[in-house]
Amino acid sequence: MVVVEREIMEVDTLFVGGGIASLSSAIHLASLIKKYNNNFHTAQNKKNLDQITIAVLEKGSSSGAHALSGAVIDISPLKELIPDIFQMNAPLGECVTKESLFLLGKNTHIKSPFIPSFLRNEGNYIVSLSRLNEWLAGIAQKYGVDIFTGFAATEALYKDNKITGVRTGDKGIDADGNRKTNFEPGIDLHAKITALGEGSRGSITKTVIDRLNLDKDKNPQHHVIGIKEVWELPENGFRPGEIIHTTGYPLEGKTYGGGFIYGMADNLLSIGLVIGLDYQDPFLDPYLKFQQFKTHPFIAGLLKNGKLIQYGAKTTPVGGYYSIPELAFDNGLIIGDSANLFISQKHKGIHSAVKSGMLAAEAIFHALLKKDFSRAQLYNYQSALYKSSVGKELYHSRNWHQIFREGLHRAILTGGFKHLIANKVFKSRIISDPDFSSMKKVPDLSHSDSLPKGNTDKLKYDNRLTFKKDTALYYSGTTHEEDQPAHLRILDKNICRNRCTVEYQNPCTRFCPGNVYERIAGQGTEEVDIEVTSSNCLHCKTCDIKDPYNNILWTPPEGGGGPVYTVM
Ligand code: SF4
């Protein structure tokens, strides 16, 4: 075995993942240190924090390249983080000025006479998360934070079962695992504190949670997949600041989810469909559902004479309060979507990512002052988070997804909408099963089954309103070095060939919005095989979550690969 000589880099605080939570945390920490150094200028005190180093690892080719959300945000925590955010020309987009909710039938749309309070967005802003992310990265750099873009963490490092940092992926390895001429070994980043802010289904976070047993006695995590496009419309095509929520078509009653349309500045429109990954229909194709959504006469009318300019997909954790793992451990903590702090009732998580980042920064700051990086010290973050406004929101909506997972109509019957919202029903924890276990087997689907076998409702792609997956991928900008080891690992291909083919008819070929998995004729005795085109991957993590056998492992590809979002 060839021993690889690796560079070791020592930092005080390392953020794994360069999204909103990490950047907010890094900015707040750097600002606390700056204030401390300015205010406590005795030689002894100043020495304490003068040389503190903060680093952020981002696997995307640039800051914001992998950031995707609706996105409507409550900017209160951002204003706390950067009080003069308006004077600094932050890309906050449009303030919400008009909002409506429509119930869609296949060809009908009925406007709801009211919008439930949890869906209302007065005072919130419609933003491009990728732009906001990029802007925050610039602020962090001004504070002296080192941001390493194009570097994916591939492994957590430990000493005595305590995290000590991460290793970044080697670059320049070919598809067979051999070194190419441009080989560069990954770096070992050693940190006093490692903060995991990788976003939804973080690949390092997942291993740390497993190894340290941080989800003991918690509910399993649940996710939704969001498929999104940004369109450019003719002048005055859709009012900036206007929001439309939809429920109903094209989702059948048992599937959690709904649509959104947000008017952005510069005649841009953000449109998407969110689908709970605890859906049951093995034939459901979220991408196809989204394309069907756009063909609804009401929606198609809104997009008339517009053109697609960007496409992407991402999962979001919606399991809520009882799915939150332990957030602090020796030498480390978990923030943002990686910590499952998304408020599923409001379908918002950016403000909670910012807040969790800030609270984590305060705990890290005190840990650095005391030179105590133990779980007990860092636990101040977890306590503060549960006491904060975000903790209260999480508690208030603690069983939201578990109640709504079989669709809106059933939830209303089960609990009574009014009581549900008043939080008078289901006070204690509702136990749920993991998303990958919810899919029905094809042979078990009966004629009386209400599932519509989603993929049978075919669609004609016209390349104007609707696009094939391969065409849409072009609009995501996703690219990967072709000659590298596959980052999507099918753990046992025999399961795909022999069992899944019969039991679920290979749903990976449908649930993946990147057209990564394809059924092909097998060789020899195998009738079917699965071909994996990893270079199409959008890093949404759906396959890692939804495969019914848990047979797909998403690992980070060579740093810098993946989508390049600029307005998502
Ligand atoms: Fe998403 Fe997996 Fe498909 Fe990549 S391969 S786009 S992570 S479902």
Side-chain angles (χ1 to χ4, degrees):
M1 199 173 110
V2 187
V3 178
V4 179
E5 293 271 326
R6 293 181 190 280
E7 187 187 332
I8 294 175
M9 187 185 281
E10 306 274 352
V11 296
D12 292 292
T13 303
L14 173 65
F15 291 93
V16 182
I20 296 290
S22 290
L23 292 173
S24 303
S25 200
I27 291 169
H28 194 47
L29 178 59
S31 134
L32 289 170
I33 291 171
K34 190 174 169 195
K35 274 186 208 143
Y36 175 85
N37 288 340
N38 287 345
N39 294 338
F40 293 81
H41 34 72
T42 65
Q44 191 194 355
N45 275 328
K46 198 170 179 188
K47 222 173 167 186
N48 275 340
L49 294 180
D50 240 5
Q51 304 297 325
I52 292 295
T53 47
I54 306 170
V56 176
L57 269 189
E58 164 58 50
K59 70 181 167 59
S61 54
S62 59
S63 287
H66 291 183
L68 181 154
S69 183
V72 178
I73 67 169
D74 166 358
I75 63 165
S76 323
L78 264 181
K79 283 199 289 190
E80 253 181 78
L81 176 69
I82 304 171
D84 47 358
I85 194 158
F86 288 108
Q87 292 81 341
M88 292 174 74
N89 289 326
L92 290 177
E94 296 295 318
C95 188
V96 176
T97 50
K98 189 178 174 199
E99 195 164 19
S100 48
L101 167 64
F102 283 87
L103 176 63
L104 303 185
K106 192 164 182 184
N107 291 302
T108 57
H109 64 286
I110 299 169
K111 186 173 179 182
S112 167
F114 72 98
I115 301 175
S117 58
F118 53 83
L119 275 184
R120 285 193 215 128
N121 282 291
E122 288 108 330
N124 292 339
Y125 283 75
I126 299 170
V127 302
S128 152
L129 190 64
S130 31
R131 281 183 183 163
L132 183 61
N133 203 130
E134 186 187 15
W135 185 81
L136 284 174
I139 303 283
Q141 281 169 323
K142 282 188 189 146
Y143 270 107
V145 174
D146 290 314
I147 300 182
F148 300 102
T149 54
F151 285 88
T154 53
E155 197 182 324
L157 304 171
Y158 297 89
K159 188 173 177 202
D160 302 331
N161 217 31
K162 294 178 183 179
I163 193 165
T164 55
V166 297
R167 175 167 295 169
T168 64
D170 295 341
K171 294 188 175 188
I173 302 275
D174 73 15
D176 298 321
N178 303 312
R179 292 180 187 184
K180 296 189 284 191
T181 47
N182 63 343
F183 174 74
E184 268 179 49
I187 301 168
D188 282 357
L189 280 138
H190 290 178
K192 296 186 175 84
I193 297 174
T194 303
L196 302 172
E198 300 175 283
S200 179
R201 192 74 163 192
S203 49
I204 297 291
T205 311
K206 197 172 112 174
T207 62
V208 172
I209 288 174
D210 277 354
R211 175 160 175 160
L212 303 181
N213 214 5
L214 301 176
D215 59 353
K216 186 169 179 273
D217 299 328
K218 306 285 181 178
N219 267 4
Q221 188 42 247
H222 293 288
H223 292 83
V224 293
I225 178 170
I227 313 275
K228 175 176 163 177
E229 291 176 352
V230 173
W231 281 59
E232 188 175 69
L233 298 182
E235 197 79 28
N236 303 322
F238 191 83
R239 190 154 98 179
E242 179 169 355
I243 285 182
I244 295 177
H245 311 274
T246 71
T247 179
Y249 185 83
L251 302 179
E252 45 76 37
K254 282 186 179 172
T255 303
Y256 179 91
F260 64 84
I261 294 143
Y262 302 149
M264 301 165 75
D266 305 322
N267 299 312
L268 298 182
L269 175 141
S270 159
I271 177 166
L273 186 70
V274 169
I275 299 179
L277 285 180
D278 43 13
Y279 66 79
Q280 299 175 13
D281 180 0
F283 293 102
L284 193 147
D285 178 334
Y287 176 83
L288 178 63
K289 285 284 169 199
F290 173 63
Q291 298 302 311
Q292 286 172 335
F293 175 60
K294 288 189 295 173
T295 64
H296 187 283
F298 175 59
I299 307 296
L302 300 174
L303 296 174
K304 200 171 164 197
N305 298 327
K307 63 173 186 189
L308 172 65
I309 61 164
Q310 210 154 88
Y311 159 73
K314 182 178 172 279
T315 53
T316 301
V318 293
Y321 186 83
Y322 294 113
S323 303
I324 299 171
E326 287 298 312
L327 299 179
F329 42 92
D330 288 327
N331 305 346
L333 26 78
I334 314 178
I335 55 180
D337 273 3
S338 283
N340 306 329
L341 302 178
F342 191 85
I343 317 291
S344 56
Q345 183 192 33
K346 295 184 170 176
H347 212 76
K348 288 204 170 21
I350 300 171
H351 71 295
S352 49
V354 175
K355 188 72 189 174
S356 75
M358 291 177 72
L359 294 171
E362 286 160 25
I364 294 170
F365 172 74
H366 290 290
L368 290 167
L369 270 183
K370 291 185 179 172
K371 296 189 172 63
D372 176 357
F373 312 111
S374 65
R375 177 187 178 275
Q377 176 66 33
L378 293 174
Y379 194 81
N380 288 326
Y381 156 57
Q382 179 159 331
S383 313
L385 184 94
Y386 279 114
K387 284 184 203 143
S388 72
S389 53
V390 167
K392 286 179 187 136
E393 280 183 285
L394 283 160
Y395 183 72
H396 178 76
S397 55
R398 58 199 174 280
N399 285 313
W400 187 260
H401 185 75
Q402 286 71 13
I403 294 166
F404 273 70
R405 62 193 302 231
E406 291 204 355
L408 181 69
H409 304 116
R410 181 166 294 210
I412 292 170
L413 292 176
T414 316
F417 203 61
K418 206 171 154 192
H419 289 284
L420 184 71
I421 291 168
N423 220 355
K424 289 179 180 150
V425 185
F426 305 120
K427 281 189 175 172
S428 57
R429 167 179 163 185
I430 298 177
I431 307 282
S432 54
D433 301 318
D435 290 341
F436 71 82
S437 66
S438 62
M439 200 180 276
K440 288 198 172 187
K441 290 182 179 166
V442 175
D444 295 343
L445 295 176
S446 66
H447 289 303
S448 59
D449 203 307
S450 64
L451 294 174
K453 303 177 186 63
N455 208 24
T456 58
D457 201 2
K458 288 291 180 198
L459 189 75
K460 277 195 183 145
Y461 299 98
D462 64 5
N463 264 340
R464 193 200 60 76
L465 179 64
T466 53
F467 305 87
K468 285 187 174 171
K469 273 185 197 175
D470 277 346
T471 312
L473 272 178
Y474 167 79
Y475 292 91
S476 72
T478 196
T479 54
H480 293 83
E481 165 59 52
E482 295 280 342
D483 189 15
Q484 65 168 304
H487 74 276
L488 292 149
R489 302 198 186 138
I490 296 185
L491 303 177
D492 182 350
K493 272 215 162 186
N494 286 322
I495 292 180
C496 311
R497 293 174 189 132
N498 303 326
R499 285 185 60 194
C500 192
T501 300
V502 177
E503 292 178 335
Y504 298 98
Q505 296 191 11
N506 306 107
C508 57
T509 60
R510 295 177 287 277
F511 60 56
C512 169
N515 222 15
V516 166
Y517 305 97
E518 194 182 352
R519 264 161 78 111
I520 55 167
Q523 293 179 344
T525 56
E526 311 293 348
E527 285 184 13
V528 170
D529 209 344
I530 296 292
E531 188 170 78
V532 181
T533 310
S534 300
S535 54
N536 285 356
C537 182
L538 295 169
H539 296 206
C540 73
K541 316 282 179 74
T542 303
C543 51
D544 194 273
I545 296 163
K546 187 60 180 171
D547 181 75
Y549 305 95
N550 238 338
N551 194 27
I552 302 177
L553 181 66
W554 188 95
T555 62
E558 195 171 291
V564 183
Y565 300 139
T566 54
V567 288
M568 292 301 239

